[in-house]
Amino acid sequence: MFPSFQAGIEAYAAKNLATLPTAVTDSAVASTASDAAEPPEGEPLDVASTETPLVEPKKSGILSGWDGDANFGASFASGNSDNVAIGGAFEAAKTVGILTHDLRGYFDLGESEGVVNQRRWGVSYKLDFALSERSYAFIRAAYDEDEFSGFDYRLFAGGGAGYFLAKSDPFTLSVEAGPGFRYSPIDDTTDIDEEIALFGAIDLDWVIREGLKFEQDVSVTWTDPTTTTESQTQISTQLFENLSAGLA
């Protein structure tokens, strides 16, 4: 309306804006930008250009979230006698909230002079319930079959409590124990051992240095007539990202 006064008005406005607090000027700039973004009256808003792109959620399945390892070994000897032995084992764990699923399995086969002298395998499942940072309760079920043990197979079911004596990234040591029940049909008879059992275990994992790991697992299942003790010592070194070599 008064073009001759435009330069003076703009200079006066600039001088006053410079004296205002930063928050106020930022608000004014944001308001101006918002006004500028509005389309002219009568023109539709371009929704596609203003919407935030949708990110498709990651799919989860029964096999997702598991962490573990599998190992395989074999030995051959010849001379006065020919002996062959192969074996393997796996362990997988998954933590969801306060629950930790632990699944393990193994097999061992042996032959001497063409005669099988070892054939055993088994699987176990354990569910831990975290009670605190270091303590937990658990339930456990296991199936073991050993052709040369005198039993057709053995079933165990029980529960108990465990505690981490040490719990850190390079070193963990846990102990656990509890009561259970063991069911053992005897070979070539109709007799069945059904006994109250006690189960205990020690689990040690030590990362000596990056790529070098030491493990010691001991478990004992005790009943009045028989006691089963299993101990495994293993040291492994990482060769590639998902491949290690070791001695057990």
Side-chain angles (χ1 to χ4, degrees), residues 138-158:
F138 71 88
I139 57 175
R140 179 178 181 270
Y143 176 91
D144 295 280
E145 188 170 312
D146 188 341
E147 186 175 326
F148 300 93
S149 67
F151 298 91
D152 283 342
Y153 60 86
R154 279 181 161 171
L155 287 171
F156 174 87

Side-chain angles (χ1 to χ4, degrees), residues 227-248:
T227 299
T228 303
T229 303
E230 297 183 4
S231 176
Q232 177 170 309
T233 305
Q234 177 173 306
I235 187 167
S236 59
T237 182
Q238 187 175 19
L239 301 179
F240 304 103
E241 182 178 359
N242 294 317
L243 179 64
S244 298
L247 178 68

Side-chain angles (χ1 to χ4, degrees), residues 90 103-106 121-125 140-145:
F90 73 88
L103 184 64
R104 305 188 185 198
Y106 69 90
W121 67 275
V123 293
S124 67
Y125 169 76
R140 179 178 181 270
Y143 176 91
D144 295 280
E145 188 170 312

Side-chain angles (χ1 to χ4, degrees), residues 81-134:
S81 62
D82 294 328
N83 300 287
V84 177
I86 61 174
F90 73 88
E91 177 181 356
K94 177 180 180 179
T95 299
V96 181
I98 65 170
L99 303 179
T100 299
H101 305 267
D102 189 313
L103 184 64
R104 305 188 185 198
Y106 69 90
F107 76 93
D108 291 299
L109 300 173
E111 185 178 286
S112 179
E113 294 295 328
V115 178
V116 175
N117 58 11
Q118 186 178 43
R119 182 182 289 137
R120 59 190 294 268
W121 67 275
V123 293
S124 67
Y125 169 76
K126 186 164 69 78
L127 180 63
D128 295 344
F129 304 82
L131 302 177
S132 68
E133 182 66 24
R134 289 178 176 259

Side-chain angles (χ1 to χ4, degrees), residues 60 92 110:
S60 59

Side-chain angles (χ1 to χ4, degrees), residues 27-51:
S27 175
V29 172
S31 176
T32 303
S34 176
D35 292 339
E38 294 182 359
E41 185 176 353
E43 293 186 13
L45 177 65
D46 185 3
V47 178
S49 64
T50 58
E51 287 185 346

